[in-house]
Amino acid sequence: MSTNSRHTALDALHRSLGATMTDFAGWDMPLRYASERDEHNAVRTRAGLFDLSHMGEITVTGPQAVDLLNFALVGNIGTVGLGRARYTMICQEDGGIVDDLIVYRLGETEYMVVANAGNAQIVLDALVARAEGFDAEVRDDRDAYALIAVQGPESPGILKSVTDADLDGLKYYAGLPGTVAGVPALIARTGYTGEDGFELFVEPIHAEALWQALTEAGAGVGLIPCGLSCRDTLRLEAGMPLYGNELTTKLTPFDAGLGRVVKFEKEGDFVGRTSLEAAAARAESAPPRKLVGLIAEGRRVPRSGYEVVVDGRVVGEVTSGAPSPTLGKPIAMAYVDAAFAAPGTAGVGVDIRGSHEPYEVVALPFYKRQK
């Protein structure tokens, strides 16, 4: 463990639960508590509890907060209603993806931007730099929040038992202030698992009490604490991109198959607009590599960086790979040449240490919950 690692407000609690800790983006975080497979399956069938306090919260306020965000980000933040959230991205001038983000509209002129842990400082610095000339304030609120997520089919019932907030009226990608187990919280219906669930933003001093209350509330329906390892397999099955794997500064949103998040119709200029217009035109005329799912026919697990091959020729690259507890087989996401991206394409393999292992090309996601 690095002596410079940051610790969340729940650090002592994780250790008391016997968690295996790991360094993640400079934070000491729980990788697993017991069995990764059991934690994964709990979220798919019952519920799991996650500490996500390493995520980066940045508050943007002021009369021109929305104008700043529309300039700094690729999405149209002006159409985000009060109490709603929006998935978007922040890009470089050349169109490369700096990070993918969720923006919550908390008030008339108040927004919270949630960045990935490893990119939080970069996003903060970019927003501060891009705020020049706008009547808006960018505030680093990373230390103001702990973030606890409860995910899985039992999560609405668990949360209902400890809050009187209107969860039934809370749509996906929306948030509302409320009290959970006596703790003031921003309750958001968001997540990164492919399941229904909630993310609860609270003051760090309240984190432990909230975690314990949720643990007790979920005990009867099989809720267990879950680490970052099963979070990764859950998001992989759900076809959700991970920054540093599927998303990088070398790719534009159009290269990543996420051009829909770029809103050219919004008023005014935004950082990267010219480059992204060119990227959009390129994608129309010459489709870039496409992000697809791969399911192993054998047992060998592909890893990020492994080559995708057809007849000995490299046609793509694996971005994420792991054994899938839900499918019972190794799976991967990979960028492959458009000619080999159709589901069922024959002859596709992954080069695993010199052996070309056969894989089936499928459309993402691998797993979709029943509504």
Side-chain angles (χ1 to χ4, degrees), residues 144-148 162-165 176-188 199-207 209-210:
Y145 293 103
L147 178 56
I148 294 172
V162 289
T163 184
D164 56 6
L176 85 166
T179 303
V180 182
V183 171
L186 171 67
I187 306 166
E199 296 183 322
L200 308 168
F201 296 85
V202 299
E203 287 183 50
I205 54 166
H206 297 315
L210 180 58

Short mmCIF file of all heavy atoms in Angstrom, two decimals, residues 144-148 162-165 176-188 199-207 209-210:
data_model
loop_
_atom_site.label_atom_id
_atom_site.label_comp_id
_atom_site.label_asym_id
_atom_site.label_seq_id
_atom_site.Cartn_x
_atom_site.Cartn_y
_atom_site.Cartn_z
N ALA A 144 -16.02 17.30 0.10
CA ALA A 144 -17.31 17.63 0.71
C ALA A 144 -18.28 16.45 0.69
O ALA A 144 -19.29 16.48 1.38
CB ALA A 144 -17.94 18.82 -0.01
N TYR A 145 -17.96 15.43 -0.11
CA TYR A 145 -18.89 14.31 -0.27
C TYR A 145 -18.23 12.96 -0.04
O TYR A 145 -17.09 12.73 -0.43
CB TYR A 145 -19.44 14.28 -1.70
CG TYR A 145 -20.34 15.43 -2.07
CD1 TYR A 145 -19.86 16.47 -2.87
CD2 TYR A 145 -21.66 15.47 -1.65
CE1 TYR A 145 -20.69 17.53 -3.23
CE2 TYR A 145 -22.50 16.52 -2.00
CZ TYR A 145 -22.01 17.56 -2.80
OH TYR A 145 -22.82 18.59 -3.15
N ALA A 146 -19.01 12.07 0.58
CA ALA A 146 -18.77 10.64 0.46
C ALA A 146 -19.87 10.13 -0.48
O ALA A 146 -20.94 10.73 -0.55
CB ALA A 146 -18.86 9.95 1.81
N LEU A 147 -19.60 9.06 -1.20
CA LEU A 147 -20.59 8.54 -2.16
C LEU A 147 -20.76 7.05 -1.92
O LEU A 147 -19.81 6.27 -2.01
CB LEU A 147 -20.12 8.82 -3.59
CG LEU A 147 -21.00 8.31 -4.73
CD1 LEU A 147 -22.43 8.84 -4.61
CD2 LEU A 147 -20.40 8.70 -6.08
N ILE A 148 -22.00 6.68 -1.59
CA ILE A 148 -22.34 5.27 -1.34
C ILE A 148 -23.39 4.86 -2.35
O ILE A 148 -24.37 5.57 -2.57
CB ILE A 148 -22.88 5.09 0.10
CG1 ILE A 148 -21.76 5.39 1.12
CG2 ILE A 148 -23.43 3.68 0.30
CD1 ILE A 148 -22.24 5.41 2.56
N VAL A 162 -35.67 3.08 4.57
CA VAL A 162 -34.91 4.03 5.40
C VAL A 162 -35.06 5.48 4.92
O VAL A 162 -34.32 6.36 5.36
CB VAL A 162 -33.41 3.65 5.48
CG1 VAL A 162 -33.23 2.40 6.33
CG2 VAL A 162 -32.80 3.46 4.11
N THR A 163 -36.01 5.74 4.01
CA THR A 163 -36.24 7.12 3.58
C THR A 163 -37.71 7.32 3.25
O THR A 163 -38.39 6.36 2.87
CB THR A 163 -35.40 7.48 2.34
OG1 THR A 163 -35.60 8.87 2.03
CG2 THR A 163 -35.78 6.67 1.11
N ASP A 164 -38.19 8.56 3.40
CA ASP A 164 -39.55 8.86 2.96
C ASP A 164 -39.53 9.65 1.65
O ASP A 164 -40.55 10.17 1.21
CB ASP A 164 -40.34 9.60 4.05
CG ASP A 164 -39.64 10.88 4.51
OD1 ASP A 164 -38.61 11.24 3.90
OD2 ASP A 164 -40.13 11.52 5.46
N ALA A 165 -38.35 9.74 1.03
CA ALA A 165 -38.24 10.41 -0.27
C ALA A 165 -39.07 9.64 -1.31
O ALA A 165 -39.24 8.42 -1.18
CB ALA A 165 -36.79 10.49 -0.72
N LEU A 176 -32.69 13.76 -6.22
CA LEU A 176 -33.47 14.65 -5.38
C LEU A 176 -32.87 14.66 -3.98
O LEU A 176 -32.32 13.66 -3.52
CB LEU A 176 -34.94 14.25 -5.34
CG LEU A 176 -35.45 13.18 -4.35
CD1 LEU A 176 -36.97 13.23 -4.30
CD2 LEU A 176 -35.02 11.79 -4.74
N PRO A 177 -32.94 15.84 -3.31
CA PRO A 177 -32.45 15.89 -1.93
C PRO A 177 -33.44 15.19 -1.01
O PRO A 177 -34.65 15.25 -1.23
CB PRO A 177 -32.39 17.40 -1.64
CG PRO A 177 -33.32 18.04 -2.61
CD PRO A 177 -33.44 17.12 -3.79
N GLY A 178 -32.93 14.49 -0.03
CA GLY A 178 -33.79 13.80 0.91
C GLY A 178 -33.01 13.40 2.14
O GLY A 178 -31.83 13.74 2.29
N THR A 179 -33.67 12.67 3.01
CA THR A 179 -33.02 12.17 4.22
C THR A 179 -33.06 10.65 4.17
O THR A 179 -34.13 10.06 3.96
CB THR A 179 -33.74 12.69 5.48
OG1 THR A 179 -33.74 14.11 5.43
CG2 THR A 179 -33.01 12.25 6.74
N VAL A 180 -31.90 10.03 4.31
CA VAL A 180 -31.80 8.57 4.29
C VAL A 180 -31.24 8.12 5.63
O VAL A 180 -30.13 8.52 6.00
CB VAL A 180 -30.89 8.08 3.14
CG1 VAL A 180 -30.86 6.55 3.12
CG2 VAL A 180 -31.37 8.62 1.80
N ALA A 181 -32.03 7.34 6.38
CA ALA A 181 -31.61 6.89 7.71
C ALA A 181 -31.18 8.08 8.58
O ALA A 181 -30.18 8.01 9.30
CB ALA A 181 -30.50 5.86 7.60
N GLY A 182 -31.91 9.18 8.46
CA GLY A 182 -31.62 10.36 9.26
C GLY A 182 -30.48 11.22 8.74
O GLY A 182 -30.14 12.24 9.34
N VAL A 183 -29.89 10.82 7.61
CA VAL A 183 -28.73 11.53 7.06
C VAL A 183 -29.17 12.35 5.83
O VAL A 183 -29.80 11.79 4.92
CB VAL A 183 -27.64 10.51 6.63
CG1 VAL A 183 -26.53 11.19 5.85
CG2 VAL A 183 -27.08 9.80 7.86
N PRO A 184 -28.85 13.65 5.78
CA PRO A 184 -29.19 14.42 4.58
C PRO A 184 -28.36 13.91 3.39
O PRO A 184 -27.15 13.72 3.50
CB PRO A 184 -28.76 15.86 4.94
CG PRO A 184 -28.50 15.86 6.41
CD PRO A 184 -28.16 14.45 6.79
N ALA A 185 -29.03 13.69 2.27
CA ALA A 185 -28.35 13.10 1.11
C ALA A 185 -28.93 13.63 -0.19
O ALA A 185 -30.10 14.03 -0.25
CB ALA A 185 -28.50 11.58 1.14
N LEU A 186 -28.10 13.63 -1.23
CA LEU A 186 -28.61 13.76 -2.59
C LEU A 186 -28.79 12.33 -3.07
O LEU A 186 -27.83 11.55 -3.13
CB LEU A 186 -27.63 14.51 -3.49
CG LEU A 186 -28.00 14.49 -4.98
CD1 LEU A 186 -29.28 15.28 -5.25
CD2 LEU A 186 -26.87 15.01 -5.86
N ILE A 187 -30.04 11.98 -3.38
CA ILE A 187 -30.38 10.62 -3.81
C ILE A 187 -30.46 10.61 -5.33
O ILE A 187 -31.33 11.28 -5.91
CB ILE A 187 -31.73 10.17 -3.21
CG1 ILE A 187 -31.72 10.32 -1.69
CG2 ILE A 187 -32.05 8.74 -3.62
CD1 ILE A 187 -33.12 10.23 -1.06
N ALA A 188 -29.57 9.89 -5.99
CA ALA A 188 -29.56 9.85 -7.45
C ALA A 188 -29.85 8.44 -7.94
O ALA A 188 -29.33 7.47 -7.39
CB ALA A 188 -28.20 10.31 -7.98
N GLU A 199 -27.32 6.14 -6.05
CA GLU A 199 -26.06 6.66 -5.53
C GLU A 199 -26.39 7.79 -4.57
O GLU A 199 -27.19 8.68 -4.90
CB GLU A 199 -25.17 7.13 -6.69
CG GLU A 199 -24.78 5.96 -7.59
CD GLU A 199 -23.83 6.31 -8.72
OE1 GLU A 199 -23.96 7.40 -9.32
OE2 GLU A 199 -22.95 5.48 -9.03
N LEU A 200 -25.81 7.71 -3.38
CA LEU A 200 -26.16 8.63 -2.30
C LEU A 200 -24.95 9.50 -1.95
O LEU A 200 -23.93 9.00 -1.48
CB LEU A 200 -26.61 7.83 -1.07
CG LEU A 200 -27.71 6.79 -1.34
CD1 LEU A 200 -27.88 5.86 -0.14
CD2 LEU A 200 -29.03 7.48 -1.67
N PHE A 201 -25.08 10.80 -2.22
CA PHE A 201 -24.02 11.77 -1.91
C PHE A 201 -24.31 12.35 -0.53
O PHE A 201 -25.37 12.95 -0.31
CB PHE A 201 -24.01 12.90 -2.94
CG PHE A 201 -23.68 12.46 -4.34
CD1 PHE A 201 -24.66 11.98 -5.19
CD2 PHE A 201 -22.37 12.56 -4.82
CE1 PHE A 201 -24.36 11.59 -6.50
CE2 PHE A 201 -22.06 12.17 -6.12
CZ PHE A 201 -23.05 11.69 -6.96
N VAL A 202 -23.37 12.15 0.39
CA VAL A 202 -23.56 12.62 1.77
C VAL A 202 -22.27 13.25 2.29
O VAL A 202 -21.20 13.08 1.69
CB VAL A 202 -23.96 11.45 2.71
CG1 VAL A 202 -25.27 10.83 2.28
CG2 VAL A 202 -22.86 10.40 2.80
N GLU A 203 -22.39 13.97 3.40
CA GLU A 203 -21.17 14.49 4.03
C GLU A 203 -20.37 13.31 4.58
O GLU A 203 -20.94 12.35 5.10
CB GLU A 203 -21.53 15.44 5.17
CG GLU A 203 -22.06 16.78 4.72
CD GLU A 203 -22.32 17.70 5.92
OE1 GLU A 203 -21.39 17.83 6.76
OE2 GLU A 203 -23.44 18.23 6.02
N PRO A 204 -19.02 13.38 4.47
CA PRO A 204 -18.18 12.26 4.93
C PRO A 204 -18.44 11.85 6.38
O PRO A 204 -18.38 10.67 6.70
CB PRO A 204 -16.76 12.80 4.75
CG PRO A 204 -16.88 13.76 3.60
CD PRO A 204 -18.23 14.41 3.77
N ILE A 205 -18.79 12.81 7.24
CA ILE A 205 -19.02 12.46 8.65
C ILE A 205 -20.24 11.55 8.82
O ILE A 205 -20.36 10.86 9.84
CB ILE A 205 -19.19 13.71 9.56
CG1 ILE A 205 -20.30 14.63 9.02
CG2 ILE A 205 -17.88 14.45 9.73
CD1 ILE A 205 -20.75 15.68 10.02
N HIS A 206 -21.14 11.54 7.83
CA HIS A 206 -22.34 10.70 7.92
C HIS A 206 -22.19 9.35 7.21
O HIS A 206 -23.10 8.52 7.26
CB HIS A 206 -23.54 11.43 7.30
CG HIS A 206 -23.91 12.70 8.00
ND1 HIS A 206 -24.00 12.80 9.37
CD2 HIS A 206 -24.23 13.93 7.51
CE1 HIS A 206 -24.35 14.02 9.70
NE2 HIS A 206 -24.49 14.74 8.59
N ALA A 207 -21.06 9.15 6.54
CA ALA A 207 -20.93 7.98 5.66
C ALA A 207 -21.06 6.66 6.41
O ALA A 207 -21.78 5.74 5.97
CB ALA A 207 -19.60 8.03 4.91
N ALA A 209 -22.49 5.93 9.34
CA ALA A 209 -23.84 5.69 9.86
C ALA A 209 -24.77 5.24 8.72
O ALA A 209 -25.59 4.33 8.90
CB ALA A 209 -24.39 6.96 10.52
N LEU A 210 -24.63 5.87 7.56
CA LEU A 210 -25.48 5.50 6.43
C LEU A 210 -25.17 4.09 5.95
O LEU A 210 -26.08 3.29 5.67
CB LEU A 210 -25.29 6.51 5.29
CG LEU A 210 -26.12 6.25 4.03
CD1 LEU A 210 -27.61 6.21 4.34
CD2 LEU A 210 -25.83 7.30 2.97
#
